[in-house]
Amino acid sequence: MEKQIYLEGIDPLEFYGINNVKINLIKKLFPKINIAARGNSLFVQGEEKEIKQFEKKFALLLNHFFQYNILTEEIILEILASGVSTFEENGTSEKDIIVFGNSGKPIRARTPNQRILVEESEENDLIFAIGPAGTGKTYTAIGLAVKALKNKQIKKIILSRPAVEAGENLGFLPGDLKEKIDPYLQPLYDALQDMIPPKKLEEFMKDGTIQIAPLAFMRGRTLSNAFVILDEAQNTTVNQLKMFLTRMGLNAKFIITGDVTQIDLPRKSHSGLLHALKILRKIKSISIIEFNKKDIVRHRLVRDIVDAYDKYSEEAEIKKEKVRANRDKNKEK
């Protein structure tokens, strides 16, 4: 009997190991059948009973690798001996783990509001995650998107950003359109590279399973069966954000992230995020999560920096109020 087993969604190089060390170990553990690895397929020859037994065991290895992005020789031995690895037993016990990234790195909800984001994403299809830099809003959202893709709850991930950054203009940047845009989208690439093996990520990008594009590219689309994240939403205009929100199709989940203290539009009052937070807050099934300084997970100095800027802004606002009050008094006189 001969059987072909296809390694769907798995990088063969990662799975087989350097110099085929892992697949050779699997071959040794099943001496009664012939196993040949060719690209994304395994060809197995032997008696029907032996092949069926191999398929059951091999499915456990595939599931483990797909779930945790790691498969060592030790894990192979554990799974084939007992059906489960100590890695799996220990890893699944931690409720804060969202997904397992490259080399089995657990991507966790590390702060109270990150945990709320995870919980709210299970209940609501539209979520606003608002707060200062370094609070893990976007990283957590991308982790949730990767988890949904792995669990086959959606068919694609779409990540977007408005191409407005700190007063820069795309037209003055060198290169073609993609080269101009990529620097704005790099933080999204960075998060994905933590969670998906490089070759598999490249495949997802090529076949459209994962799409990263500026906000303007969303116009006219209906986004169904997708996990969609709009990052840096404070730099959208009112019309842009309305356009984005009305892209929502069937079986779609939207997460909008932003920091209302870092608006780079010519007029802050034109921010689509500020406008949306005012008019959508009372709609059921829309969740608004406000991250704060306690959620900052970057270098310890980041929290102090945010504090300093907040304090400066408050003092500046107080001075403005005093100037206005004095001006009004002078007018009355």
Side-chain angles (χ1 to χ4, degrees):
M1 182 181 179
E2 182 173 320
K3 195 77 181 276
Q4 180 181 359
I5 301 173
Y6 183 63
L7 278 64
E8 184 179 2
I10 287 175
D11 181 355
L13 181 61
E14 292 283 337
F15 189 84
Y16 298 153
I18 297 173
N19 296 323
N20 289 325
V21 63
K22 289 185 277 190
I23 194 64
N24 287 337
L25 173 61
I26 294 170
K27 288 179 182 180
K28 286 180 183 178
L29 295 171
F30 292 91
K32 294 183 181 180
I33 58 177
N34 294 321
I35 302 171
R38 297 172 194 164
N40 281 78
S41 295
L42 280 187
F43 295 89
V44 186
Q45 288 182 327
E47 294 184 7
E48 184 177 356
K49 180 182 176 182
E50 297 293 335
I51 288 178
K52 285 185 176 179
Q53 185 180 0
F54 171 77
E55 282 184 301
K56 288 181 181 178
K57 295 280 188 178
F58 192 72
L60 295 174
L61 298 178
L62 288 177
N63 289 338
H64 186 280
F65 186 80
F66 191 74
Q67 183 69 30
Y68 300 103
N69 282 335
I70 188 171
L71 188 70
T72 64
E73 292 171 76
E74 291 77 12
I75 289 173
I76 291 171
L77 293 170
E78 287 174 357
I79 290 177
L80 294 182
S82 64
V84 67
S85 69
T86 53
F87 182 95
E88 187 173 359
E89 287 177 333
N90 294 334
T92 54
S93 65
E94 297 185 48
K95 64 178 182 178
D96 288 337
I97 293 176
I98 301 169
V99 70
F100 285 84
N102 293 331
S103 301
K105 173 190 172 185
I107 308 300
R108 291 183 173 88
R110 297 170 60 186
T111 72
N113 281 313
Q114 287 181 14
R115 294 185 188 98
I116 292 171
L117 176 54
V118 173
E119 292 167 3
E120 290 293 306
S121 71
E122 295 175 0
E123 302 294 329
N124 299 296
D125 290 334
L126 177 56
I127 299 171
F128 288 86
I130 313 303
T135 50
K137 307 179 298 293
T138 303
Y139 196 81
T140 304
I142 291 176
L144 290 168
V146 172
K147 179 183 179 180
L149 183 64
K150 283 194 170 192
N151 292 341
K152 298 183 179 180
Q153 295 169 328
I154 45 97
K155 293 182 179 179
K156 56 194 171 189
I157 295 173
I158 300 172
L159 309 177
S160 186
R161 267 187 162 199
V164 177
E165 295 289 341
E168 295 180 33
N169 190 308
L170 283 175
F172 292 100
L173 295 175
D176 59 20
L177 182 61
K178 184 178 185 302
E179 290 169 331
K180 291 174 186 286
I181 288 168
D182 275 354
Y184 293 91
L185 305 175
Q186 191 59 48
L188 306 179
Y189 289 113
D190 291 344
L192 287 170
Q193 287 166 355
D194 272 0
M195 302 178 198
I196 300 175
K199 188 172 181 181
K200 193 62 203 171
L201 178 57
E202 185 180 350
E203 289 177 12
F204 281 152
M205 300 286 286
K206 283 182 179 178
D207 66 19
T209 301
I210 295 179
Q211 303 169 25
I212 304 180
L215 178 59
F217 287 25
M218 297 297 108
R219 189 173 295 279
R221 300 182 64 183
T222 300
L223 307 177
S224 301
N225 299 307
F227 203 117
V228 188
I229 298 170
L230 175 62
D231 192 32
E232 298 289 336
Q234 75 274 4
N235 287 329
T236 62
T237 64
V238 172
N239 286 337
Q240 281 177 327
L241 191 50
K242 179 184 175 183
M243 176 274 291
F244 175 78
L245 293 173
T246 54
R247 300 306 93 201
M248 182 178 280
L250 298 175
N251 189 38
K253 193 174 291 289
F254 277 39
I255 296 183
I256 293 95
T257 69
D259 178 1
V260 295
T261 69
Q262 295 194 46
I263 298 172
D264 297 315
L265 296 170
R267 292 188 181 181
K268 292 186 178 183
S269 60
H270 290 176
S271 171
L273 181 58
L274 290 175
H275 184 261
L277 292 174
K278 287 178 183 177
I279 67 172
L280 302 179
R281 190 174 288 273
K282 294 182 180 180
I283 298 179
K284 283 187 177 181
S285 298
I286 295 179
S287 175
I288 298 174
I289 304 166
E290 296 182 359
F291 287 68
N292 55 56
K293 288 170 283 189
K294 293 180 181 178
D295 294 300
I296 292 174
V297 291
R298 290 180 184 167
H299 193 284
R300 61 178 180 80
L301 282 175
V302 174
R303 189 176 297 183
D304 294 336
I305 291 168
V306 171
D307 272 334
Y309 273 92
D310 286 348
K311 185 178 179 182
Y312 177 83
S313 296
E314 288 170 7
E315 291 174 349
E317 193 60 37
I318 290 170
K319 287 179 182 178
K320 285 181 181 178
E321 287 295 332
K322 287 181 178 178
V323 170
R324 288 192 198 103
N326 290 333
R327 190 185 301 138
D328 291 341
K329 284 181 181 179
N330 290 333
K331 285 181 180 178
E332 289 175 3
K333 290 179 180 179

